[in-house]
Amino acid sequence: MSVAFTRDWLLAETPASRAQAAWGRRYRAWLGLRANPLAMIGLAVVVAFVLLALAASLLATHDPGAQDLANRLARPSAAHWLGTDELGRDIYSRILHGGRVTLGMVIAVVVLVAPLGLAVGCVAGYFGGLVDRVLMRVTDVFLAFPRLILALAFVAALKPGVESAILAIALTAWPPYARLARAETMTVRNSDFIAACRLTGAAPARIVLRHVAPLCVPSLVVRITLDMSSIIITAASLGFLGMGAQPPSPEWGAMIATAKRFIFEQWWVPTGPGIAIMLASLAFNFLGDGLRDVLDPKQR
């Protein structure tokens, strides 16, 4: 199959099948995303971070936990590209391995909060009435507290660590997704195709799962991508405050916490993980803005 034929097939005005229509929508979305330079930069940086984290064992020049007190606080050099920290550990290697911890926490949070927020919002928006009021009041309670403060409270109630940080961030991150899914559901629950589904005898659970929830996914994807930066910063903040990943884990926030007393004299120690957090957050913001322009019909 030639490239031209593939492009014509994807961009056909009258698709011959549901599969062709679905792939056509995806291809048009990709074309829209590709036309946004900042979004492509964000995508490239995100992919680079993921690849670097996956290949950290191959790309790292030193063991991230190996201490060399004779070379503590060494400046960047050919032996240590980004210098060493207060225990003589290679900062470059620790940043690479720290990407696994930080990005792993972000992915785990998204896997937990996206289905939860989608389920709560769709159920509340579709059924309305008492169900809607109860679920939304619970959501309002979580929204009433700043995310970081509430996450700190949850971690303090459990114990400091990666697992506790993931659970705490997840418990504080789902309410915005629930409200977004509820708003999207309320716009479609009285549509003609939903009424037709009811007339065919489809159960409410089937309608929500098969017809309502898929319509909420694009907006949810955009919101999640835009929230990735805040999740990264919250995870790093918990590590910085000693409530997230614990030493000697090379988590970016924890690395900055141990290096804060060297920020003026040995500036390279906190600068590396700080730049990593900034680039990751900025990349997800660029990518989220691009996805919003492509997937959000209100932006067209």
Side-chain angles (χ1 to χ4, degrees):
M1 182 181 293
S2 65
V3 175
F5 181 77
T6 302
R7 181 181 175 87
D8 292 340
W9 184 78
L10 291 170
L11 297 178
E13 294 294 336
T14 56
S17 64
R18 294 173 60 183
Q20 183 179 0
W23 281 107
R25 287 195 301 271
R26 298 186 187 108
Y27 185 65
R28 288 185 176 87
W30 164 249
L31 291 179
L33 185 66
R34 196 174 64 179
N36 188 328
L38 290 179
M40 293 306 296
I41 292 174
L43 178 61
V45 173
V46 169
V47 171
F49 268 109
V50 172
L51 294 178
L52 288 173
L54 292 176
S57 300
L58 301 175
L59 299 176
T61 57
H62 297 75
D63 182 343
Q67 300 181 13
D68 183 6
L69 296 179
N71 286 321
R72 65 186 298 269
L73 301 176
R75 288 181 173 274
S77 62
H80 301 282
W81 295 351
L82 297 180
T84 62
D85 63 8
E86 71 280 6
L87 296 177
R89 297 172 296 190
D90 185 67
I91 296 175
Y92 165 73
S93 301
R94 287 179 63 78
I95 289 175
L96 289 180
H97 285 270
R100 290 183 174 182
V101 180
T102 301
L103 296 180
M105 291 175 65
V106 172
I107 293 173
V109 169
V110 170
V111 169
L112 289 173
V113 303
L116 176 61
L118 181 63
V120 171
C122 288
V123 170
Y126 182 80
F127 290 99
L130 180 62
V131 174
D132 181 32
R133 289 195 294 272
V134 170
L135 291 178
M136 286 302 101
R137 294 301 77 76
V138 173
T139 303
D140 291 339
V141 170
F142 281 90
L143 287 173
F145 296 93
R147 178 180 295 185
L148 180 59
I149 302 301
L150 194 57
L152 284 171
F154 280 124
V155 174
L158 301 171
K159 66 176 182 178
V162 174
E163 296 81 4
S164 299
I166 292 173
L167 183 59
I169 298 173
L171 289 174
T172 59
W174 66 268
Y177 307 137
R179 295 185 69 90
L180 178 62
R182 173 181 177 268
E184 295 285 342
T185 301
M186 294 181 68
T187 62
V188 301
R189 68 179 180 182
N190 294 322
S191 301
D192 292 340
F193 73 96
I194 297 295
C197 292
R198 295 194 190 101
L199 290 175
T200 60
R206 178 181 176 84
I207 294 175
V208 171
L209 290 175
R210 296 292 301 274
H211 302 286
V212 175
L215 295 176
C216 302
V217 169
S219 298
L220 204 65
V221 169
V222 173
R223 180 59 188 260
I224 288 172
T225 309
L226 289 171
D227 275 0
M228 285 285 197
S229 59
S230 65
I231 294 174
I232 291 174
I233 292 173
T234 303
S237 299
L238 290 175
F240 181 83
L241 296 172
M243 294 294 186
Q246 299 298 298
S249 176
E251 196 269 329
W252 294 341
M255 291 174 64
I256 296 177
T258 59
K260 62 180 181 292
R261 62 183 183 274
F262 309 113
I263 192 170
F264 293 111
E265 296 180 358
Q266 289 81 26
W267 54 265
W268 58 88
V269 182
T271 298
I275 291 177
I277 293 173
M278 182 196 71
L279 289 178
S281 301
L282 195 61
F284 277 114
N285 278 334
F286 284 162
L287 181 58
D289 287 337
L291 289 175
R292 180 183 58 192
D293 294 340
V294 171
L295 298 179
D296 191 352
K298 302 181 184 67
Q299 300 293 325
R300 298 174 186 172

